[in-house]
């Protein structure tokens, strides 16, 4: 290392990626000046004042010289306060206030500095932990981030609470806290057991059947029914029917939660999420983005490998709902900014619920509670666009539970979430062994290779397509659901019965 020059490595935040950034510090004679270059955002530029105060408060000197800090490469936007720690250490090394025999290029540094030298937590460190592990580097980060980083098995992570701790470590005077000192869950226990169960729902046998179909094939669902018919309860029970997350899926979810500033340690790492945004949600909060310099994942990405539940669907702003169309097809969200483009995964299972009319009741309600005119009902239903409705696999009318079923003190079906989950897990494994993914993710070409309807089934499909005006997308969704029904029955071929049942869940196509 040349005199008055130091170089350290850190990592930027760019969606699910964390590219390496080199922090170059040069201290030379001249008028006292602190320059920061390399495409820094406003929060990064403010690090000059934080670093100055942190060094002075910790007993060091800020050399009265010309200090130039370059964050390279310059074409990567630098956001946030995560560069404070490497900048401060670089100044100490370049000004020869810190000496070490350790190979600094084997370490990476992330952390915000307080004015007293304290190292504070930063958001979104998991991508950096993962990629530092892949590069074989030791990552030094704030102590408050250690529990989060400890979920990455095998990562070499050290944590410090103050800049003096880091300086003492490189001087060989002490050790830093490691992940070995953090306790994390050892198994993917199903934390939903004993909390919510499909057995809690009285009646609604057809709805439970459709819920199992959707869970078995990864299909989306729209439920239409009056208030109190159990739509929200059904949606909340779907996550109790889904198989346990794989370690890879758990890491993806943890990374997204880290980027969104949400907790990832403890049992939350292994839980599927039921994400249910309010109907007043904006497009950035649902899809991702926001007004900050760092585009953040929205509800759609937070529901990755989980369930996104949109209750009171027509009450959402139409532009917000239309923003879902492309991510539902591509299974990812692309957010473009002037200086960067980030991508977040969004492989979600969409569950929607709505009332059949503005008053909330079916138009043929035998109690006459629906007072809406046909024009009002049509206007209400048209709030859901045809293209969005076309992308939902199953449509289900949820009728009110009658008094006899409602008054039962015991569940008559004997079906619990654990029972159904066992069947769903077997069905998932059957699909994964056959094609490497769930039926809902099959392309039209893959679907054609696996489903060969006989003449009677083709005739039924032709009549349905002509009567309902189904699109090609709807046609293929029927075939996907029919394939799932065949898998649930352990049948090798899709029969007319499977197709007929799948068609019965496309009743709302006539609205589009």
């Amino acid at each position: 290392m040349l005199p008055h020059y130091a170089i350290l490595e850190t990592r930027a935040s760019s969606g699910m990626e964390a590219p390496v950034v080199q922090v170059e510090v040069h201290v030379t004679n001249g008028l006292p000046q602190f320059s920061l270059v390399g495409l820094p955002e406003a929060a990064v530029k403010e690090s000059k004042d934080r670093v100055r105060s942190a060094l002075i408060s910790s007993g060091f000197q800020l050399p009265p010289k010309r200090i130039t800090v370059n964050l390279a490469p310059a074409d990567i936007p630098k956001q946030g306060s995560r560069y404070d720690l490497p900048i401060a250490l670089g100044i100490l090394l370049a000004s020869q206030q810190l000496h070490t025999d350790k190979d600094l290029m084997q370490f990476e540094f992330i952390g915000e500095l307080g004015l007293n030298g304290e190292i504070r937590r930063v958001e979104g460190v998991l991508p950096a932990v993962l990629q530092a592990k892949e590069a074989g580097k030791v990552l030094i980060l704030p102590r408050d981030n250690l529990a989060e980083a400890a979920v990455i098995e095998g990562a070499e992570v050290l944590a410090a609470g103050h800049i003096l701790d880091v300086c003492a470590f490189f001087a060989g005077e002490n050790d830093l806290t490691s992940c070995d000192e953090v306790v994390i869950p050892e198994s993917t226990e199903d934390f939903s057991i004993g909390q919510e169960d499909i057995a809690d729902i009285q009646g609604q046998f057809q709805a439970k059947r459709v819920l199992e179909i959707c869970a078995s094939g990864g299909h989306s669902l729209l439920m239409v029914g009056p208030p109190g018919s159990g739509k929200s309860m059904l949606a909340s029970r779907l996550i109790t029917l889904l198989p346990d997350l794989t370690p890879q899926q758990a890491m993806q979810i943890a990374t997204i939660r880290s980027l969104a500033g949400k907790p990832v340690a403890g049992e939350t790492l292994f839980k599927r999420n039921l994400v249910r945004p309010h109907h007043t949600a904006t497009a950035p909060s649902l899809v991702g983005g926001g007004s900050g310099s760092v585009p953040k994942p929205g509800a759609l990405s937070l529901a990755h490998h989980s369930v996104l539940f949109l209750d009171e669907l027509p009450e959402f702003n139409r532009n917000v709902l239309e923003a879902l169309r492309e991510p539902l097809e591509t299974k990812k969200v692309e957010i473009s900014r002037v200086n960067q483009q980030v991508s977040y995964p969004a492989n979600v299972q969409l569950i929607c619920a709505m009332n059949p009319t503005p008053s909330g009741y079916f138009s043929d309600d035998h109690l006459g509670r629906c007072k809406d005119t046909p024009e009002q009902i049509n206007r209400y239903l048209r709030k859901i666009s045809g293209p969005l409705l076309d992308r939902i696999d199953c449509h289900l009318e949820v009728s009110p539970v009658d008094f006899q079923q409602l008054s039962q003190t015991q569940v008559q079906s004997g079906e619990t979430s654990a029972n159904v989950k066992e069947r769903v897990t077997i069905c998932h494994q059957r699909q994964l062994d056959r094609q490497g993914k769930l039926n809902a993710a099959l392309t039209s070409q893959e679907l054609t290779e696996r489903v060969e309807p006989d003449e009677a089934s083709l005739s039924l499909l032709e009549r349905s397509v002509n009567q309902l005006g189904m699109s090609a997308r709807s046609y293929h969704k029927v075939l996907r659901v029919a394939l799932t029904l065949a898998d649930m029955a352990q049948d090798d071929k899709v029969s007319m019965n499977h197709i007929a049942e799948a068609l019965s869940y496309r009743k709302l196509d006539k609205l589009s």
Side-chain angles (χ1 to χ4, degrees), residues 13 46-47 50 56 72 80-81 140 145 153 181 222 281 287 294 302 309 322 343 364 392 432 455 463 498:
S13 178
E46 292 171 355
S47 68
R50 291 192 297 270
I56 294 173
S81 55
I140 295 179
N145 283 114
E153 186 177 353
E181 303 174 39
L222 171 61
V287 178
V294 182
L302 287 169
F309 178 41
E322 295 306 297
S343 176
D364 58 353
I392 299 177
L432 294 175
E455 291 187 9
R463 292 197 305 271
H498 301 138

Side-chain angles (χ1 to χ4, degrees), residues 314-334:
E315 303 304 325
F316 282 81
N317 184 288
R318 179 156 181 157
N319 291 334
V320 173
L321 293 180
E322 295 306 297
L324 294 175
R325 286 162 52 178
E326 183 179 353
L328 288 177
E329 290 290 317
T330 61
K331 306 298 182 183
K332 62 182 179 180
V333 174
E334 301 280 356

